[in-house]
Amino acid sequence: MAAPSDPMKPSVPISYPITDLETLISRAYFDSFHYPFNISSVPLPAASVVTPPRRRILVCHDFKGGYTDDDKWVQGGTNADAYAIWHWYLMDVFVYFSHHLVTLPPPGWTNAAHTHGVKVLGTFITEWGKGREICNTLLETTESARTYAERLAELADMLGFDGWLLNMEVSLHPQQIPILKEFVGHLTQTVHNVVPGSLVIWYDSVTMDGKLDYQNQLNEKNKPFFDLCDGIFCNYGWKENYPKDSGTVAGDRRFDVYMGIDVWGRGTYGGGQWNTVVSLDVLKNDDVSAAIFGPGWVYETQQLPDFQTAQNRWWCLVEKSWEVLQSYPNILPFYSNFDQGHGNHYSVGGFRLVDSSWNNMSCQGFQPVLDCKESSQSSMLVFNNFEDASYIGGGSITCKGSLNINDIFLTRLFLGQLTLEQSVSLNYYVKSDGNSLMGLKLSFSSNLNRITQVLLLPEAELPMGQLTSKYDRIILAQRSYRKDLFLGSDWVQYESSITMNGYTLTDIGLLCYFKKPVEVNTSLCNKTTARIADESAYNASLGLIRLQISGQSIEFPSANSWITQGENISWSSNNKGLRTVSLKINWKLKAGTSQAFVAYNIYVQKISNDINKRDYSTASTAEFLATTKAGVYYISALEVPSGVTNLILVIQVCAVDGTSQDLDKSPTYQLAVEGQ
């Protein structure tokens, strides 16, 4: 995808690559109208800055050439079935890849990856005849190579991603190799200076003699490039002994060797596709890292029965080979609404505010680490539910199926690494058929490696004693009524607190059971009736879970603590004869920024009377427009009915713990309707 015909002209923001060296060297991208919308808003967590000293998984997305209709729209699109990744806990590095010269990761991918502690790289690629011409300019002098490297480092810094994959897939003159080495080394050093924890990964392509000759391993022909950066992505045609040999060549940097696996199976060891695990097992045994290329194969080839099921199954095979690599929660506060960043509706506080399809990867919450089980292995299904009403966003976790009346069903929800130093409050939101209950199972480890199992259960009616006796503690969660729970919502909130100072929370599980057993007079029923009484239909959904330090809550700044601005205001008329307005709105705290506020819901009030006579409730008159994690939003062709004299744009501030500011107390931007 090329840049817009006029990048300076206001339009619906998109993400796009840089396709020529002139645009790169001139820094023209930063003058684009689209630039501020492409800055990722979720920083890499401090705990993820240092690359872990173990074998790792790098994932290179390579989906249909990049910048598809599904992810180029940085404020979100309309395709609920858009390609996405949500198994972030099974990787360490994500590369957004395309065949354009400079591939800049769309902010939605960076935001989703950073949420889960995964680093994100862009791609710098030269290939074919045009790539050779580009390299002649890039490598003309040592000074030119250093300048272009500095431009790439600046892009990573300004857009908030974590470095580069270098794919120099051309033949070069041997005299250009020393300058190429200068480019690699200077880029690595420069990006390290400006982006903590950043990475530069070299792709196994051109060799030290200037030939385009894939080695499929680390050896003397490509190791000089490896020595100048943070790792090598070896090509896919490796043989069984290559990973071990490459690890030997790397020495104490064996984990910086990423052996390529093409999921499409093109010449890759083991054949890729559903056999990707064959190559992963070899790399695991040889203790080197993996580079998985093209996992979108599952989506593009329409693997049955559907994308959700097939994607979960494919990544489950990865987990069975390499196990979970990312752990969360690992810091407080922690909350998840289980949103995958797409859906057929959008809810806030348990009420649907949008009844149309959408996608926006920036909306992804922490993804559950659900058990890897085939549906045939259990009579209970655990799945991301996009059809029923969600609490916040477009989805929830639903447990549905048959369950013995006096049984409990337990499934994994999160694998954490959270050391507790004071009392922690937990609350979670459930919607059920009334008799189906949900509790939480918490596992804690001590310094003595002792595991303590705690059940957090709603209501006062517990499962059968023999089923809960194996747990160390049982805590009853009280039904709570909070102001963020809309009146009339079907969701019920339960909350409690726990003190386990010095212990580390390692596991959060979801416990399903019935409120009370069904009593059946067996003398008056036949065997069929008795069986039905023993096994009943279970149906409950989890909409949100929150952990925070007891007694702590995030205070929202007053509305006048924010500066709100409207720019690029443009009035027009649509084919319905209605006035429309387009504008860029941005906001920031007067006293700087705060990482406590991570998202914003945008509403509009269309006022037809004197703006000074404000005798109405914002909550009752505000119309939901969108949600964003950026401090800027572009409103395109908003309809203004006849008689409306003023528009009030309301920016509802959402905190890192999942709470949101009252609409009546939120910052606003007022716009008088032109001509009224």
Side-chain angles (χ1 to χ4, degrees):
M1 167 181 181
S5 56
D6 185 357
M8 302 296 293
K9 184 178 180 180
S11 61
V12 177
I14 62 171
S15 188
Y16 59 92
I18 294 174
T19 57
D20 57 79
L21 287 178
E22 182 180 355
T23 303
L24 176 62
I25 199 69
S26 69
R27 304 176 76 249
Y29 179 84
F30 298 113
D31 297 324
S32 164
F33 174 80
H34 302 263
Y35 159 60
F37 300 92
N38 278 277
I39 301 172
S40 65
S41 48
V42 179
L44 186 70
S48 301
V49 170
V50 177
T51 305
R54 53 160 173 78
R55 52 183 166 78
R56 313 169 198 122
I57 288 184
L58 175 152
V59 173
C60 194
H61 100 301
D62 185 44
F63 182 73
K64 296 185 177 180
Y67 304 103
T68 65
D69 284 344
D70 297 339
D71 60 32
K72 74 177 181 182
W73 305 108
V74 297
Q75 295 185 158
T78 59
N79 181 10
D81 298 319
Y83 177 66
I85 285 177
W86 51 88
H87 297 83
W88 299 105
Y89 49 88
L90 298 176
M91 67 188 82
D92 299 285
V93 182
F94 175 79
V95 179
Y96 192 81
F97 182 89
S98 80
H99 289 276
H100 301 287
L101 177 65
V102 180
T103 301
L104 303 171
W109 286 93
T110 304
N111 289 339
H114 279 182
T115 295
H116 297 86
V118 174
K119 296 181 180 182
V120 177
L121 308 184
T123 305
F124 182 80
I125 185 172
T126 59
E127 54 187 349
W128 314 115
K130 184 179 179 181
R132 179 65 187 269
E133 294 176 8
I134 288 172
C135 283
N136 288 339
T137 302
L138 172 74
L139 305 175
E140 186 174 6
T141 64
T142 298
E143 290 72 23
S144 67
R146 292 172 64 91
T147 301
Y148 286 113
E150 289 164 6
R151 293 292 182 268
L152 292 176
E154 181 184 35
L155 283 165
D157 179 31
M158 299 295 284
L159 293 178
F161 59 94
D162 308 296
W164 295 96
L165 171 68
L166 296 182
N167 189 347
M168 312 298 289
E169 214 158 349
V170 292
S171 295
L172 298 174
H173 193 283
Q175 293 179 349
Q176 292 176 306
I177 296 301
I179 303 178
L180 176 59
K181 290 175 62 180
E182 181 68 24
F183 172 72
V184 176
H186 190 61
L187 172 60
T188 303
Q189 180 181 2
T190 305
V191 77
H192 284 181
N193 289 340
V194 296
V195 181
S198 54
L199 301 173
V200 174
I201 306 294
W202 173 262
Y203 181 68
D204 166 27
S205 49
V206 66
T207 56
M208 282 298 295
D209 54 11
K211 295 179 180 179
L212 178 56
D213 187 9
Y214 308 103
Q215 299 301 295
N216 303 299
Q217 62 183 315
L218 178 66
N219 59 24
E220 72 282 355
K221 292 187 176 182
N222 52 31
K223 188 174 183 292
F225 299 114
F226 172 80
D227 291 339
L228 290 167
C229 63
D230 301 296
I232 186 170
F233 181 148
C234 293
N235 194 50
Y236 321 102
W238 49 270
K239 303 184 186 302
E240 189 169 2
N241 61 304
Y242 285 14
K244 183 177 180 180
D245 293 346
S246 297
T248 300
V249 172
D252 59 2
R253 290 187 61 199
R254 65 183 307 112
F255 301 137
D256 296 336
V257 176
Y258 299 84
M259 302 299 294
I261 304 169
D262 185 355
V263 180
W264 289 81
R266 295 163 290 202
T268 204
Y269 184 88
Q273 302 183 12
W274 291 107
N275 291 319
T276 297
V277 68
V278 174
S279 47
L280 282 173
D281 285 345
V282 171
L283 304 183
K284 177 183 178 181
N285 291 336
D286 290 334
D287 206 25
V288 295
S289 296
I292 299 175
F293 184 85
W297 168 84
V298 176
Y299 185 101
E300 294 189 58
T301 58
Q302 299 180 0
Q303 294 295 301
L304 299 176
D306 56 71
F307 177 53
Q308 277 282 324
T309 306
Q311 168 116 311
N312 288 336
R313 179 189 165 205
W314 190 89
W315 283 101
C316 182
L317 296 174
V318 175
E319 179 184 339
K320 287 180 178 178
S321 177
W322 276 48
E323 302 179 340
V324 172
L325 300 181
Q326 302 287 349
S327 298
Y328 46 85
N330 53 32
I331 192 172
L332 293 176
F334 171 84
Y335 105 98
S336 177
N337 59 353
F338 311 106
D339 196 333
Q340 280 189 3
H342 61 92
N344 300 304
H345 68 274
Y346 194 90
S347 298
V348 173
F351 278 89
R352 292 194 184 202
L353 300 183
V354 175
D355 256 324
S356 56
S357 59
W358 64 278
N359 70 284
N360 186 344
M361 287 192 65
S362 285
C363 292
Q364 271 197 11
F366 279 101
Q367 294 301 296
V369 187
L370 299 179
D371 284 322
C372 276
K373 291 181 179 178
E374 296 290 339
S375 59
S376 59
Q377 293 178 323
S378 172
S379 59
M380 185 77 77
L381 294 177
V382 183
F383 59 97
N384 294 82
N385 187 344
F386 306 103
E387 300 304 321
D388 297 339
S390 54
Y391 182 69
I392 295 178
S396 58
I397 299 299
T398 293
C399 297
K400 187 175 183 179
S402 58
L403 181 66
N404 289 335
I405 290 296
N406 293 322
D407 248 347
I408 61 174
F409 172 79
L410 181 63
T411 188
R412 184 178 66 185
L413 197 59
F414 295 108
L415 294 175
Q417 198 64 33
L418 176 66
T419 300
L420 302 188
E421 298 176 350
Q422 49 196 307
S423 179
V424 172
S425 66
L426 300 92
N427 52 75
Y428 60 102
Y429 295 70
V430 174
K431 185 179 66 174
S432 76
D433 56 15
N435 198 42
S436 302
L437 294 181
M438 278 185 163
L440 301 177
K441 187 215 72 168
L442 310 172
S443 296
F444 297 90
S445 66
S446 68
N447 294 333
L448 300 176
N449 292 324
R450 181 179 181 273
I451 303 298
T452 300
Q453 306 270 18
V454 178
L455 291 186
L456 181 66
L457 301 178
E459 310 291 348
E461 298 184 59
L462 304 180
M464 297 289 287
Q466 63 267 29
L467 298 176
T468 58
S469 58
K470 61 181 179 180
Y471 298 98
D472 298 288
R473 290 175 60 185
I474 296 177
I475 300 174
L476 292 183
Q478 302 299 314
R479 183 165 176 161
S480 176
Y481 299 91
R482 292 172 61 107
K483 62 182 180 180
D484 62 337
L485 202 63
F486 280 83
L487 185 65
S489 169
D490 293 332
W491 294 89
V492 176
Q493 184 198 191
Y494 296 99
E495 68 177 347
S496 188
S497 62
I498 186 170
T499 302
M500 296 287 290
N501 294 350
Y503 283 76
T504 299
L505 175 62
T506 59
D507 181 281
I508 301 177
L510 192 58
L511 194 77
C512 303
Y513 65 101
F514 287 112
K515 189 172 184 179
K516 56 186 176 183
V518 178
E519 296 182 2
V520 178
N521 187 337
T522 56
S523 64
L524 300 177
C525 68
N526 56 33
K527 292 182 179 179
T528 301
T529 306
R531 179 182 59 78
I532 293 175
D534 185 55
E535 191 176 86
S536 186
Y538 182 96
N539 189 358
S541 295
L542 181 66
L544 183 147
I545 183 172
R546 177 187 293 118
L547 289 79
Q548 58 194 131
I549 297 172
S550 295
Q552 283 195 1
S553 60
I554 295 175
E555 293 187 10
F556 294 95
S558 62
N560 60 15
S561 299
W562 297 82
I563 299 173
T564 59
Q565 293 180 314
E567 302 174 3
N568 306 111
I569 302 170
S570 174
W571 294 92
S572 186
S573 298
N574 62 16
N575 54 14
K576 301 177 187 177
L578 293 176
R579 297 283 282 162
T580 65
V581 64
S582 299
L583 75 154
K584 170 185 170 184
I585 181 172
N586 53 64
W587 54 92
K588 63 180 180 180
L589 279 169
K590 293 178 180 178
T593 60
S594 172
Q595 292 188 4
F597 310 117
V598 296
Y600 308 90
N601 294 325
I602 313 297
Y603 294 80
V604 63
Q605 289 176 283
K606 300 173 180 178
I607 307 301
S608 302
N609 55 6
D610 186 346
I611 198 67
N612 296 316
K613 297 179 180 179
R614 194 168 180 178
D615 56 354
Y616 47 82
S617 164
T618 303
S620 64
T621 60
E623 174 187 327
F624 179 79
L625 293 180
T627 187
T628 180
K629 287 192 173 180
V632 59
Y633 192 81
Y634 184 71
I635 297 171
S636 177
L638 175 68
E639 290 187 350
V640 183
S642 176
V644 171
T645 58
N646 286 275
L647 300 175
I648 299 179
L649 295 167
V650 183
I651 300 106
Q652 184 182 38
V653 184
C654 304
V656 68
D657 63 355
T659 58
S660 54
Q661 190 168 22
D662 290 344
L663 283 175
D664 286 318
K665 299 178 181 178
S666 298
T668 61
Y669 173 75
Q670 180 184 331
L671 178 65
V673 176
E674 186 181 78
Q676 296 296 318

